[in-house]
Every structure is written in structure tokens, then in C-alpha cells.
Amino acid sequence: MPKTLVIFDTSIGHTRAIAEALADGARSVRFSEVDVREVRTLSPDGTDLAAYDAIALDASSAVVVQFVERAGPLRSKVGALFADAGTDLLSVLALMGRAGMIILPPGAGAGALAACDAASGRVLGKRLADVTGWITHARSHHHH
């Protein structure tokens, strides 16, 4: 079962609502497991992240971005972004790439690099869970 973690920072505007909507979208996918956590409740060294196949990040929070920088390699974890409008998403995308993440854009018709409201959050959450499910299923077959 693919596991998704949605990380947010409560001090930033309406991002908690977007995080919850993203989690609802991910939970709509059969067999999906989803946790929503405030960044301050995670272990400072990022060891909590090892248990997850996908991570959705609150890109509008400097605290979340700094946490991911400290977390070390996130090789082959599927990553997505959600944010308040006006956030410098390119620097966060570059950070995700350096960490080895598989970066998932919102998809056709979304019109942005990140989910910015509850509706786009639900769509991105479902897409994140779907793609993560495909990847984890493919990995379980050990093709040579």
C-alpha cells in the first residue's frame, strides 16, 4: 500500500486547508494511506520520511523547505507541491530534484506548478496517490 505524507506549516495562511484537501484526494484512491503532519511534529533529522512513498510539501513555508534540506536524500520518493500564490516554486523544485525525488506536476489543465486552493489540492492528492501506486506496484515486480 502506498503511503503519502502531507507536510504543512500552520503559520502560513490557508495552507492547512489545502493540505487537508490534498490528503482527502489521496485517500480517495483505493489502498492509499495518508498522514497529514505539521512540520514541527516531525523528527528534526527527517527520519520520519523513510516510511513514506510520496511526500507533498507546503512550498510556501520556509520552515518546510529548511526541513527538507536537512532531511537528506529522498531518492525515488514521489513529490508534489502546494503553496499560497506568489511562492518561488522553482527553488523548491530544484531542492526536490537534488534530493532525488520524482517530481509530480499537477497535470493537464491545472495551470500552475502547485496546488493553490482546496479544489486543486484534492485533484493533486488523487493524482499523487495514483502515480505513487503505479510506481510502488511496478517496483514490487522486480523485473530483470
Side-chain angles (χ1 to χ4, degrees):
M1 283 188 241
K3 290 185 71 172
T4 300
L5 175 62
V6 181
I7 304 172
F8 71 99
D9 182 6
T10 58
S11 65
I12 307 295
H14 67 285
T15 54
R16 182 184 188 109
I18 300 170
E20 293 292 347
L22 199 147
D24 287 344
R27 287 184 188 113
S28 74
V29 174
R30 192 172 180 198
F31 303 121
S32 246
E33 292 182 30
V34 184
D35 292 327
V36 180
R37 303 270 304 270
E38 183 180 353
V39 68
R40 290 169 180 84
T41 67
L42 296 167
S43 63
D45 62 359
T47 54
D48 306 34
L49 304 182
Y52 296 93
D53 303 297
I55 302 169
L57 302 170
D58 173 3
S60 57
S61 167
V63 176
V64 171
V65 173
Q66 291 164 359
F67 171 76
V68 173
E69 285 175 332
R70 288 191 313 270
L74 298 171
R75 198 162 325 288
S76 299
K77 293 188 184 298
V78 182
L81 298 177
F82 61 100
D84 283 330
T87 301
D88 178 17
L89 299 176
L90 294 180
S91 63
V92 183
L93 288 168
L95 168 65
M96 294 167 70
R98 286 192 305 273
M101 296 182 85
I102 300 166
I103 300 169
L104 180 72
L113 292 174
C116 295
D117 58 32
S120 61
R122 277 188 290 283
V123 170
L124 181 58
K126 181 180 182 328
R127 181 170 156 78
L128 181 60
D130 280 336
V131 170
T132 303
W134 302 334
I135 291 171
T136 56
H137 177 79
R139 286 181 183 148
S140 71
H141 286 283
H142 304 292
H143 294 286
H144 300 285

